[in-house]
Amino acid sequence: GAGVSQSPSNKVTEKGKDVELRCDPISGHTALYWYRQSLGQGLEFLIYFQGNSAPDKSGLPSDRFSAERTGGSVSTLTIQRTQQEDSAVYLCASTREGLTNEKLFFGSGTQLSVL
Amino acid sequence: GDSVTQMEGPVTLSEEAFLTINCTYTATGYPSLFWYVQYPGEGLQLLLKATKADDKGSNKGFEATYRKETTSFHLEKGSVQVSDSAVYFCALSGRGQGAQKLVFGQGTRLTINP
């Protein structure tokens, strides 16, 4: 596609349920990022994938969060046993190789609401 | 670790006013600096960037100068328009291991009234 695509755009779930968020990066982009944007907060880095290298998971807030990237393209962010504090907009971004001087292309995000 | 501090918002201005949104950073070495903008209902997009000290990034009438001595990258525009209403994020990418991710400030919501 022309840009980074995320689905669903909105997700409402009950506390304790698991959710999966999907990201389709721009074709040919080898680097993929997940960020979280909470109300009134900045963007919080979660995880970074680059090609076949081991992902940088240093931003994942707890072991309830995990992400995978299949075939170097589509990525899924999974949140297990969701909590109300997980409510946020989850943003995916991609870039051609690595960040360095390249810009990130962001998707429109998934608005997650945990009731 | 690396961090970015932005001017608290929200900021409300009248059309044609002068805009400054302050941004300061803490980083090891000399990071690259960015301003991203999020228009209503749209994804974040790069507005401008600067990769070394004294560089000036510019786009759409906005400017920001990389000031190493004050560790700042303030965003300015001489005459704002209603269409500039958005949330603005200052960000950096560090060096070494930190080079591969952006560290963002908390964002500043700007509203321009006609």
Side-chain angles (χ1 to χ4, degrees), chain A residues 23-96:
Chain A
C23 173
D24 279 282
I26 292 173
S27 178
H29 282 193
T30 60
L32 185 147
Y33 301 75
W34 283 97
Y35 281 84
R36 178 168 70 174
Q37 185 177 15
S38 303
L39 191 63
Q41 304 293 318
L43 275 75
E44 176 188 7
F45 167 78
L46 297 178
I47 188 168
Y48 159 63
F49 296 90
Q50 171 58 291
N52 295 320
S53 302
D56 176 351
K57 304 179 182 180
S58 60
L60 294 178
S62 77
D63 59 9
R64 296 185 296 104
F65 287 73
S66 63
E68 63 178 20
R69 190 177 184 193
T70 54
S73 180
V74 171
S75 177
T76 303
L77 177 69
T78 301
I79 309 173
Q80 296 179 308
R81 305 181 302 282
T82 52
Q83 303 295 312
Q84 288 182 333
E85 62 263 28
D86 300 334
S87 296
V89 176
Y90 288 81
L91 294 170
C92 178
S94 70
T95 190
R96 261 186 314 181

Side-chain angles (χ1 to χ4, degrees), chain B residues 28-74:
Chain B
T28 303
Y30 304 110
S32 294
L33 301 173
F34 306 81
W35 278 99
Y36 276 76
V37 59
Q38 187 174 33
Y39 296 105
E42 299 183 18
L44 273 89
Q45 54 188 276
L46 178 67
L47 179 60
L48 53 84
K49 68 179 183 183
T51 58
K52 62 183 188 295
D54 299 324
D55 268 3
K56 178 185 285 187
S58 61
N59 187 24
K60 299 183 179 181
F62 290 89
E63 292 183 340
T65 301
Y66 189 138
R67 301 287 188 198
K68 184 182 67 173
E69 62 276 11
T70 53
T71 61
S72 65
F73 193 54
H74 304 321

Side-chain angles (χ1 to χ4, degrees), chain B residues 1-106:
Chain B
D2 296 348
S3 67
V4 175
T5 302
Q6 275 183 245
M7 172 179 179
E8 290 282 338
V11 174
T12 302
L13 296 172
S14 297
E15 206 165 20
E16 299 184 3
F18 183 86
L19 169 71
T20 300
I21 301 178
N22 289 338
C23 171
T24 57
Y25 66 88
T26 302
T28 303
Y30 304 110
S32 294
L33 301 173
F34 306 81
W35 278 99
Y36 276 76
V37 59
Q38 187 174 33
Y39 296 105
E42 299 183 18
L44 273 89
Q45 54 188 276
L46 178 67
L47 179 60
L48 53 84
K49 68 179 183 183
T51 58
K52 62 183 188 295
D54 299 324
D55 268 3
K56 178 185 285 187
S58 61
N59 187 24
K60 299 183 179 181
F62 290 89
E63 292 183 340
T65 301
Y66 189 138
R67 301 287 188 198
K68 184 182 67 173
E69 62 276 11
T70 53
T71 61
S72 65
F73 193 54
H74 304 321
L75 183 68
E76 297 182 335
K77 186 172 185 180
S79 178
V80 292
Q81 306 300 312
V82 172
S83 57
D84 294 326
S85 298
V87 182
Y88 292 81
F89 292 89
C90 187
L92 67 83
S93 67
R95 301 297 179 189
Q97 280 193 324
Q100 298 310 320
K101 60 191 179 195
L102 282 177
V103 175
F104 285 88
Q106 71 270 37

